[in-house]
Amino acid sequence: MTITDQPQTKPAPTATTDLPVRGKKRRPHWAHLILTPMAVLWLIPIVMVLGLSLLPTSNPSTTAYGLFPAEPSFGNYIEIWTNNPILRNLINSALITVPSVLLVMLFGSMTAFALARLRVPLKAVIFGALTLALILPMSSIVVSVFKILQSMGLYNNLLGLVLVYTALGLPFAVIIIRTSFLAVPEEMYEAAVLDGANKFSVYWKIYLPLSKPALAVVAVWQSMSSWNDFLLPLVTLQDNELKPLTLIPLAYRGVFLSQPGALFAILVLISIPIVVVFLAVQRHLVNGLSGAIK
Amino acid sequence: MTSATLARPKPRRDWLPGTLFLLPTFALFALFVVYPIVYNVQASTLDWDGVNVGEFVGLGNYTELLKDPIFVTTLKNSGWWILLTIVPQALIGFFLALLLNEKIRGRSIYRAIFFVPAVLSPVVVGIVWQRMLDPFNGVFAKIGRATGLEFLTKGYLADPKTAIFAAIVVNVWMWTGFSMLFYLAGLQLIDDSVLQAAKIDGASTWKTVTAIIWPLLKSTHLSLLLLGIIGSLKTFELVYVLTEGGPNHASEMLPTYTFKQAFQLQSVGYASTISVVLLVIAVVSSLSMVRAFGSGFLTGDDKK
Amino acid sequence: MKRHKTFMAVAAATALSITLAGCAGGASKDESSGGESGTSGTLTFRSWSPIEQTTKQMVDTFTAANPGSKIDSTIFNYPEYLVDLQTRASSNTMPDIIGLQPGALTQQYRTNLMPLQDCASKTWGADWQSKFYPIGIDQARLGNPDGDENFYSLPLLVQTVNLWANTKIFEEKNAQIPKTWDELKSTVDQLKGGEYAPFMLPAKDSWLRNVVFLQIANNIAPGLPYEAEDGTKSWADPKLVEAFSYWQKLFTEKIAQDGAIGLDAYPSGANQFEAGNAAMIPLGAWWIQQSDPSKTGLPPLSEGMSGYQPFLFPTIPGGAAESQFVGGIDVALGISKNTKNPDLACKALTDFIAGAGAQKLINTFNDLPAVTGLNPEKFTSDKQKQIWDTFTTDWMPKVKYSRYLKSPEMDTALGDALSAVATGQLTPQAAAEKVQAAQQKVK
C-alpha cells in the first residue's frame, strides 16, 4: 500500500468548482521547516519501538544511543507467527471491531441527530449520562459487565463484546457527530421537513453524508478502543477459537516479561491495522463542508 | 458568521421521533453503563474483597477516603494532568492541523507520523519511554552527556517531584496527534467563503488564524476540553507501565489507585468508592462546563 | 407524560439488569458439581506462571499420558490475572486449576478452593510433605485461620532471592565477589567508570525493593521482620531502622546506579544485565531460566550460564556472621472447589508438581522445583549444573526466611516506605515508624 497524497481522490466538484483560497496558494514550503524537525522528534520513540521488536534474543546489545538493535533480526516476528494462530485471532478481532464501529456510527449519529435537531426531553441529563459512560474505566466495570453478559447468555460470545464496546463508545461518537450536525445550517433541516421528508430520511440522506469528517474521527477512535481492549475478552471468552489478537501479548508479558522482543513484535503487528484504518479515513479529512453543501 | 449560527425559533415538535432515535442508545446504556454504576455504588458501601461475603459499612469507605493522603495526591496529579495535557495538546494539535490542512507534499505521511503514537499500546509506550528516560543508560542521558546538556541526564521518572510531569510529557507525545485529527475534522466545517472574505479584506494570516479560524472552532475546543478532562481523570495504563504510580505514589492517578486497591490490596469496596468519586468528579466537571460555556454546548439549543 | 414514559423505561431496564445480574457484595453460590469423573474430561488452567510455551509442553505431556483428557490453559501477566480470577471466582466460572501466591492471594480464594492434602497423600503417600522443600510447606498454609490445617494450594516452583554477578566483568577487572558490606562498597568503587553499572538496582517494582530489604534486614537481625509482622517486635526496632538505613546507603553512597527507583526489573533491568551493562543485580534463583536449553539464540552471557554467578547479599557489620537465605514459593497451584472433575484435576496438579509434567517444566530451568531431587534431564554446561546444584542442594533446603510479608497491606506499606527512603522523602527512622503504623492498622 502506498501512502502518498493523491489529490485525485477528492471528489471532482470540490476540486474544480470551488477551490478554496488556501488551496490556491499551494506548496507553502516553509511548513516543512517546522514539520520535519517535529516529525523527527515524534519518530524517535517509534524507531525505538520498532528497534526493540527487531531485537534478537541472542544479542540484546543496542546501538544508536540504545534506539536500535546492534544486530536487527525478524526472529521475533517469525516466532509469534509460528507459535500463534495469528490469522484466526485477526479474524476474531475484526469480528469484534467492525460491527462495533458500524453500530457506534449508526446509533451515535442517531442520538446526535436527536440531540441536535429533534425535540427530546432532558437533553442535559442525557448528556450528563453520556459523560458517565466516558469515564468508566474498564477495570472498575469488568466484574459487573461480566455478570450481565453471563445472565444474557453472552458469556463466551463475541456479540457480547460488540455490545459492550458499542455502549462505551457511544458518548464519544455522540459528542463528535453532534458538533458537525450543528454546523449544518438548520434551514436545510426545515426545508426538507417542509418538503415532506420524514425525519429519518433527513437524517439519513442529508445529515449523515455531511458529517463524514466526524464519522471518520469516530471510526478511528472506535476501532482503536475495541481493537485494543484485552481485559473484557480475557474474562468473557473461554474458547481459544474465539480469542482476539490482543490476548497474545498477555502471554508474552507473562512471567517477568520473559520475551520483550516478541512482546514488542506482536504489539507492533496489532497496531498496523489501526494505522491502515487511519490512513484510509484521513482522506475524508480534506473536503471542506462548504463545497459539499452548495 | 455562518448561517448555522443564526438563531431561529423552533416549531413545536413531538418528542416521539426524538425518543425513537435515542432508543438503541438508551437500551445499551441501561445494560452496560447504568448497571455497572449501580453495582459500584453498592459495592462502595461494603468492606469487601470481591470474592467472599462483604460487610456493610455505610459511608465508612468515603470517610476513610477523605483522610487518605494518597487520594489527595491523586487529585493533585489529576489537576496537573488536566492542565498540562489539554493546553499543549490543543495548541500543538491545532498548529499541526493548520499546516496539514494545506496541500503540501507528504501530508499523509506527516499526519500518520503524528498520529501513530496514539495507536501504540500504552505498554509499548511505557516501556520505551522508561528506557529513553533512564538516566543511567537512556537515549536522553547519552545525548545529554555527549552534548553537555545537563538537564537531559536527570532521572525524571525516579524523582517524586518530577515523575508525574515526565508522565505528562509522554502523554502529550502520545495524544497530540489525536487533537490534530480533531482539529482537522473541525477545519472541514469552516465555510471557505468566510476565509475568502477575510482574504479580500486583507487580513494577515496571523489575524485570520487567531481572529477567525480559532473562534470558529469553539465546539471543537470544547469537545477536546471535555474529552481531555475525562481522559486525564481515567488515565491508567500509561502511568501503570511507566511508573506504577510511583515513586511512593508520587505519580498515582485515580484509576491506578483504584486498581491497586481492588486487585492488589483486595479492597474492592474501597476501590469502588474511588470509582464512584471519579464518576462524581467527571459529572461535576462536565456540568461546570455547561455553566461556563452555556448550555448550548450540551444541548445544541442555544447557539450563541 | 412522555417524559414519564422515558423515565419508566430507563428505570425498568435498570431494574431488569440488576435482577438479572445480582448485586455486589455476595459470594458466589455453590453449584452442584455433577458430570464426569475419573480421568477423562476437560480441565481449565489459568495462571501467570510458568510461561506459556512451557505450560503447553506440560499440558501436552499430561494429555498424552491420559487419553480422553483435555486441558485448556491460559497464561498471562499477573495484574490481569488478578482481575480475571476475581471476576471468575465471583461468578462461578473459576478455572479448575489456578496459579496462586502463598499468603494473601490463597487466603482470598480459600473458600473457593479444595483442600489438597488428600490428593497429595493419595498420590505420594502419607509422608508426602517430606518430598517438598520445608519453606514451601511452611508457606503453603501462610495465613490460614487458627486451627485450619488444610493445604489450599501446593507449591509448584520455589526460589531463593539473591544477587547475581556478571563474571566476565569481574574477571576483566580482577574483582572479587563481595561477601561483606565493605567489600560490596569497595568492589563497586573498583568497577565504576565503565560502560556498565557496578550494582544495578531496578527498584521501580515494589517486590524487588521488598526482597532486597528483607535480605538486608535478615542479615542484620535474622527473622526480625517476621517478628515485627507478628506484633512481638516493632518495625521501629533499632535493628530494623538500621536495615532501612543500609537500604538508604545504596542510594546515598552511590552504590546503585542513577535513577534506580525508576527502572523496572523486567524487561529493562534484566535486559541490561543480559546485555552486559551491569556487573551485579539483585534478582533470584529463577535467573537460571536465561540458559533454558530449549530456547534458541541465547546471548553469549546466558549460554550455559557462562557469564553469571549467584551470590548471597553481603553481610552487614554488626549483624549475622553469615549471609542468610531468603526465599519461598514462586508459584503454587490450587483446585477449584466446584470443579466437575476433582480426580482429574488432582492428577494434573500432582503431575505438574512432581510428575512427567514437572520434568518438562524443570527441563526449561524455569525456576527451582518445589520438590527435592527433581533435576533437568540435560545440562548445557558444567557451570550451569554447578549453579543448579548450589541452588537445589546447598541453598534451597536452608531457606528459612520468607521473601513475602503476610498481608498485601504490609507489602505495600513496606514498598512505599522504601521508595520514600530512596528518594529522600523519609529518614530511615520515619520510614520504620510509618511501616509500624501500618502494621497496627492491619492487626
Side-chain angles (χ1 to χ4, degrees):
Chain A
M1 203 187 140
T2 53
I3 315 171
T4 49
D5 204 35
Q6 290 170 307
Q8 66 269 25
T9 57
K10 284 185 70 166
T14 23
T16 52
T17 59
D18 197 39
L19 201 64
V21 183
R22 55 210 150 109
K24 252 177 205 153
K25 65 174 185 194
R26 53 160 47 102
R27 39 142 197 84
H29 276 308
W30 59 269
H32 289 288
L33 293 177
I34 302 166
L35 287 170
T36 310
M38 277 190 77
V40 169
L41 204 64
W42 244 250
L43 272 173
I44 292 174
I46 298 172
V47 168
M48 192 162 171
V49 171
L50 294 175
L52 284 173
S53 77
L54 297 171
L55 188 70
T57 46
S58 59
N59 183 355
S61 320
T62 51
T63 170
Y65 296 116
L67 284 180
F68 217 70
E71 231 183 276
S73 102
F74 281 97
N76 294 318
Y77 288 92
I78 294 167
E79 143 132 29
I80 53 169
W81 183 265
T82 49
N83 284 333
N84 296 285
I86 299 271
L87 279 181
R88 179 73 253 171
N89 295 321
L90 188 75
I91 291 169
N92 289 332
S93 283
L95 287 176
I96 297 168
T97 304
V98 174
S100 94
V101 170
L102 294 178
L103 284 179
V104 153
M105 282 168 42
L106 177 68
F107 295 162
S109 58
M110 282 167 64
T111 307
F113 183 70
L115 290 178
R117 286 293 175 261
L118 299 180
R119 198 115 183 234
V120 178
L122 298 173
K123 276 186 183 173
V125 172
I126 293 172
F127 214 87
L130 288 176
T131 327
L132 286 176
L134 265 183
I135 187 77
L136 291 175
M138 188 55 89
S139 60
S140 305
I141 62 169
V142 66
V143 177
S144 45
V145 165
F146 179 89
K147 290 186 173 185
I148 295 187
L149 291 177
Q150 208 181 16
S151 60
M152 291 169 78
L154 291 175
Y155 172 66
N156 205 16
N157 190 323
L158 296 181
L159 177 64
L161 296 176
V162 171
L163 293 179
V164 178
Y165 294 147
T166 305
L168 296 180
L170 277 170
F172 179 86
V174 172
I175 292 171
I176 304 311
I177 299 173
R178 209 206 78 235
T179 306
S180 76
F181 282 174
L182 287 177
V184 179
E186 191 149 15
E187 290 87 342
M188 294 185 66
Y189 175 79
E190 271 146 31
V193 172
L194 283 180
D195 287 351
N198 73 33
K199 286 176 175 119
F200 189 80
S201 66
V202 176
Y203 150 76
W204 187 257
K205 294 203 177 109
I206 302 177
Y207 277 77
L208 211 49
L210 287 178
S211 60
K212 261 195 195 165
L215 289 173
V217 174
V218 169
V220 171
W221 174 259
Q222 185 64 21
S223 311
M224 279 165 65
S225 43
S226 11
W227 186 267
N228 288 332
D229 179 57
F230 52 84
L231 211 48
L232 204 58
L234 174 73
V235 175
T236 62
L237 298 179
Q238 180 69 54
D239 297 351
N240 282 324
E241 293 74 47
L242 290 178
K243 286 179 179 162
L245 215 43
T246 40
L247 292 186
I248 303 177
L250 287 179
Y252 289 97
R253 280 170 80 181
V255 200
F256 299 145
L257 257 166
S258 40
Q259 292 158 292
L263 174 72
F264 272 67
I266 181 68
L267 287 174
V268 167
L269 278 190
I270 289 177
S271 309
I272 290 174
I274 305 293
V275 177
V276 172
V277 168
F278 173 77
L279 288 171
V281 306
Q282 63 96 18
R283 285 155 199 259
H284 295 290
L285 297 177
V286 290
N287 307 315
L289 185 65
S290 49
I293 288 179
K294 279 159 207 162
Chain B
M1 287 292 113
T2 59
S3 47
T5 56
L6 293 174
R8 291 223 159 183
K10 276 193 183 179
R12 271 183 62 103
R13 275 179 230 133
D14 206 72
W15 280 341
L16 187 64
T19 312
L20 285 177
F21 269 83
L22 292 172
L23 209 57
T25 304
F26 268 164
L28 286 169
F29 259 54
L31 279 175
F32 298 114
V33 177
V34 176
Y35 173 67
I37 291 172
V38 172
Y39 184 92
N40 265 296
V41 171
Q42 196 212 337
S44 76
T45 62
L46 301 171
D47 178 9
W48 185 39
D49 68 357
V51 179
N52 300 295
V53 181
E55 188 193 331
F56 183 75
V57 292
L59 293 177
N61 285 326
Y62 290 88
T63 48
E64 202 178 314
L65 188 66
L66 291 176
K67 289 184 285 184
D68 186 342
I70 299 172
F71 175 64
V72 177
T73 310
T74 61
L75 291 183
K76 230 187 294 172
N77 286 341
S78 300
W80 282 119
W81 199 283
I82 288 171
L83 192 70
L84 295 178
T85 59
I86 294 178
V87 175
Q89 273 167 217
L91 290 177
I92 305 173
F94 174 67
F95 182 67
L96 289 175
L98 272 185
L99 294 183
L100 293 174
N101 201 34
E102 307 279 339
K103 285 188 181 165
I104 60 169
R105 282 172 76 84
R107 175 167 72 177
S108 304
I109 295 174
Y110 280 127
R111 285 178 174 186
I113 288 173
F114 292 118
F115 187 73
V116 159
V119 168
L120 293 175
S121 153
V123 176
V124 164
V125 172
I127 294 173
V128 158
W129 276 88
Q130 194 194 102
R131 282 195 178 206
M132 296 205 309
L133 290 168
D134 173 20
F136 167 68
N137 223 350
V139 66
F140 288 121
K142 282 182 174 171
I143 292 175
R145 270 179 233 127
T147 57
L149 295 171
E150 187 70 18
F151 73 96
L152 286 176
T153 63
K154 297 266 192 310
Y156 293 105
L157 289 173
D159 183 342
K161 287 195 276 303
T162 55
I164 186 72
F165 302 107
I168 288 173
V169 168
V170 179
N171 193 73
V172 169
W173 171 79
M174 208 172 160
W175 290 104
T176 293
F178 204 73
S179 302
M180 171 194 80
L181 179 70
F182 258 69
Y183 281 115
L184 277 172
L187 286 173
Q188 311 314 319
L189 296 175
I190 294 180
D191 194 329
D192 272 316
S193 58
V194 179
L195 302 178
Q196 225 143 1
K199 179 95 180 159
I200 291 163
D201 290 350
S204 68
T205 312
W206 172 252
K207 191 114 194 271
T208 313
V209 170
T210 54
I212 300 175
I213 299 181
W214 180 264
L216 279 178
L217 289 172
K218 186 184 168 197
S219 58
T220 308
H221 303 318
L222 291 178
S223 302
L224 271 176
L225 181 61
L226 179 69
L227 295 171
I229 291 175
I230 289 174
S232 302
L233 288 172
K234 72 186 285 191
T235 295
F236 171 60
E237 228 188 345
L238 181 65
V239 172
Y240 196 82
V241 180
L242 205 55
T243 64
E244 223 170 284
N248 191 21
H249 303 288
S251 59
E252 203 76 76
M253 299 290 281
L254 283 158
T256 56
Y257 194 44
T258 310
F259 187 86
K260 284 181 186 173
Q261 286 290 346
F263 299 107
Q264 288 173 4
L265 294 175
Q266 307 174 352
S267 309
V268 171
Y270 197 63
S272 303
T273 310
I274 307 174
S275 293
V276 171
V277 170
L278 185 67
L279 282 173
V280 171
I281 295 175
V283 172
V284 168
S285 2
S286 64
L287 289 182
S288 38
M289 279 186 67
V290 180
R291 287 202 75 132
F293 301 108
S295 64
F297 166 60
L298 290 194
T299 61
D301 283 339
D302 165 26
K303 302 193 200 73
K304 53 178 182 186
Chain C
M1 267 309 147
K2 291 246 165 59
R3 171 185 302 213
H4 205 70
K5 250 188 191 163
T6 318
F7 266 146
M8 293 299 285
V10 174
T14 312
L16 179 70
S17 64
I18 292 164
T19 37
L20 279 175
C23 296
S28 70
K29 284 163 251 115
D30 286 0
E31 270 179 0
S32 60
S33 52
E36 322 116 281
S37 61
T39 56
S40 65
T42 301
L43 293 174
T44 50
F45 170 43
R46 289 190 168 223
S47 181
W48 74 98
S49 170
I51 63 170
E52 184 167 76
Q53 291 91 322
T54 310
T55 307
K56 271 186 192 155
Q57 290 182 44
M58 293 158 65
V59 165
D60 290 347
T61 311
F62 180 78
T63 47
N66 294 274
S69 67
K70 187 174 167 244
I71 300 180
D72 279 335
S73 65
T74 313
I75 303 296
F76 46 106
N77 56 320
Y78 192 62
E80 282 82 20
Y81 175 68
L82 295 180
V83 179
D84 185 70
L85 191 58
Q86 199 175 91
T87 312
R88 288 173 182 280
S90 60
S91 50
N92 280 316
T93 49
M94 195 148 109
D96 298 304
I97 303 179
I98 57 173
L100 288 166
Q101 284 208 333
L105 191 67
T106 303
Q107 293 305 324
Q108 186 182 11
Y109 294 98
R110 189 183 63 227
T111 53
N112 298 294
L113 293 170
M114 192 169 93
L116 295 174
Q117 58 274 15
D118 293 347
C119 161
S121 55
K122 209 170 66 192
T123 314
W124 297 310
D127 66 338
W128 63 273
Q129 292 190 23
S130 62
K131 274 181 90 73
F132 288 81
Y133 288 108
I135 184 84
I137 293 294
D138 274 5
Q139 285 188 350
R141 286 180 291 187
L142 192 68
N144 269 14
D146 286 341
D148 186 345
E149 295 297 316
N150 288 323
F151 285 84
Y152 295 100
S153 68
L154 290 177
L156 174 70
L157 293 168
V158 294
Q159 59 194 202
T160 58
V161 288
N162 52 266
L163 305 183
W164 285 91
N166 176 325
T167 47
K168 292 269 173 328
I169 295 177
F170 272 77
E171 277 159 26
E172 244 166 57
K173 291 281 180 167
N174 203 13
Q176 294 300 312
I177 286 185
K179 291 201 168 60
T180 66
W181 179 266
D182 294 330
E183 285 175 27
L184 175 68
K185 277 189 64 185
S186 59
T187 310
V188 166
D189 287 339
Q190 188 189 348
L191 297 174
K192 266 187 183 154
E195 277 291 285
Y196 45 80
F199 187 89
M200 177 166 278
L201 184 63
K204 187 195 122 185
D205 308 275
S206 98
W207 67 264
L208 191 121
R209 294 195 292 273
N210 290 0
V211 300
V212 170
F213 174 82
L214 286 172
Q215 289 172 72
I216 297 174
N218 281 307
N219 280 358
I220 292 177
L224 187 57
Y226 316 101
E227 293 174 61
E229 222 191 345
D230 291 339
T232 50
K233 290 277 169 61
S234 164
W235 285 95
D237 186 289
K239 289 283 181 194
L240 286 173
V241 174
E242 195 186 341
F244 277 103
S245 53
Y246 273 95
W247 165 260
Q248 185 185 39
K249 284 180 190 179
L250 290 173
F251 301 87
T252 51
E253 299 187 357
K254 296 265 169 207
I255 295 170
Q257 84 285 8
D258 282 345
I261 208 80
L263 188 73
D264 58 20
Y266 285 87
S268 301
N271 210 262
Q272 298 225 36
F273 186 54
E274 202 174 28
N277 293 336
M280 293 177 267
I281 192 169
L283 289 168
W286 66 87
W287 184 252
I288 200 169
Q289 66 185 229
Q290 299 307 116
S291 64
D292 175 359
S294 67
K295 269 197 256 171
T296 50
L298 296 180
L301 286 174
S302 299
E303 191 75 62
M305 297 306 278
S306 69
Y308 309 124
Q309 184 66 44
F311 63 105
L312 294 171
F313 200 95
T315 56
I316 309 287
E322 297 287 329
S323 294
Q324 303 294 304
F325 294 93
V326 182
I329 296 176
D330 172 6
V331 52
L333 298 178
I335 295 179
S336 164
K337 199 173 65 180
N338 294 331
T339 178
K340 292 211 167 78
N341 222 329
D343 294 337
L344 186 66
C346 166
K347 212 167 174 192
L349 177 125
T350 49
D351 184 70
F352 289 173
I353 291 175
Q359 186 64 57
K360 287 281 175 205
L361 169 60
I362 295 311
N363 284 349
T364 66
F365 291 82
N366 199 286
D367 208 341
L368 311 178
V371 293
T372 54
L374 183 62
N375 294 308
E377 288 168 316
K378 190 179 128 214
F379 289 96
T380 48
S381 77
D382 289 346
K383 188 164 183 195
Q384 189 191 35
K385 181 164 187 336
Q386 169 230 318
I387 292 175
W388 178 266
D389 291 343
T390 304
F391 279 131
T392 54
T393 58
D394 295 347
W395 290 11
M396 205 57 228
K398 291 188 203 145
V399 171
K400 235 187 346 198
Y401 302 116
S402 170
R403 55 159 289 190
Y404 305 101
L405 296 179
K406 268 181 218 149
S407 77
E409 288 89 351
M410 288 314 297
D411 249 336
T412 307
L414 179 60
D416 290 350
L418 292 172
S419 186
V421 170
T423 54
Q425 290 171 306
L426 287 181
T427 62
Q429 180 70 38
E433 280 162 14
K434 214 173 166 192
V435 176
Q436 179 59 25
Q439 184 73 61
Q440 272 151 356
K441 258 173 93 184
V442 171
K443 278 257 162 164

